[in-house]
Amino acid sequence: MGIIKVENIRLFAHHGCLKEETQIGSDYLVDLEVEANLQTSAKTDKLSDTVDYVFLNKIVREEMSKPSYLLETVGKRILKRIFKEDVLVNKATVWVSKLNPPIGGDVEKVTIIMTDERKK
């Protein structure tokens, strides 16, 4: 087993419960960690034998571009697509952070963390 991490994916998106958030948009950071068997790719040196982090970044960007009220909804969509589109992934965790959230205080970011495992 092994872990692939894609960290600090910087995005601008339109998520939130306030009308202003969906109109104006905000800055976000997404981190992703997937567990997969990396032993085969370590031997073969073939991209087709591993989880492609370019593919992971693409999923994050596509799902973040679809406006949602809640970060939890976006996180679940990201996880669902990873398991649907890459059979090598056994477990995945996603961190979705909204930078400078409009919550009436000096807050750097709010983050949701979600983990899921492949159903056997």
Side-chain angles (χ1 to χ4, degrees):
M1 206 50 67
I3 294 174
I4 295 175
K5 294 172 82 173
V6 183
E7 299 179 292
N8 290 321
I9 302 169
R10 291 173 185 83
L11 303 143
F12 186 83
H14 297 83
H15 306 298
C17 293
L18 301 175
K19 186 176 181 182
E20 296 80 16
E21 292 178 290
T22 56
Q23 288 178 344
I24 298 168
S26 299
D27 291 311
Y28 293 83
L29 284 178
V30 178
D31 296 300
L32 188 59
E33 178 177 292
V34 299
E35 291 184 22
N37 182 343
L38 303 180
Q39 297 305 312
T40 302
S41 59
K43 292 176 187 172
T44 66
D45 200 28
K46 292 183 181 177
L47 183 59
S48 60
D49 290 332
T50 193
V51 179
D52 184 355
Y53 48 81
V54 173
F55 160 78
L56 296 174
N57 183 58
K58 178 180 179 261
I59 287 178
V60 167
R61 291 188 173 282
E62 288 176 357
E63 294 306 323
M64 286 293 291
S65 72
K66 301 172 188 173
S68 296
Y69 290 120
L70 301 177
L71 299 181
E72 293 90 325
T73 304
V74 181
K76 184 63 178 174
R77 282 199 317 254
I78 291 168
L79 293 173
K80 193 173 180 181
R81 276 207 46 206
I82 289 169
F83 289 112
K84 179 181 177 187
E85 297 181 28
D86 195 322
V87 298
L88 296 176
V89 175
N90 297 314
K91 184 177 179 181
T93 301
V94 63
W95 293 256
V96 181
S97 301
K98 178 183 278 191
L99 305 179
N100 302 308
I103 60 175
D106 185 12
V107 178
E108 181 181 351
K109 64 182 175 179
V110 293
T111 303
I112 62 99
I113 303 168
M114 297 180 76
T115 300
D116 203 356
E117 294 186 47
R118 181 169 301 284
K119 309 301 184 258
K120 296 181 181 179

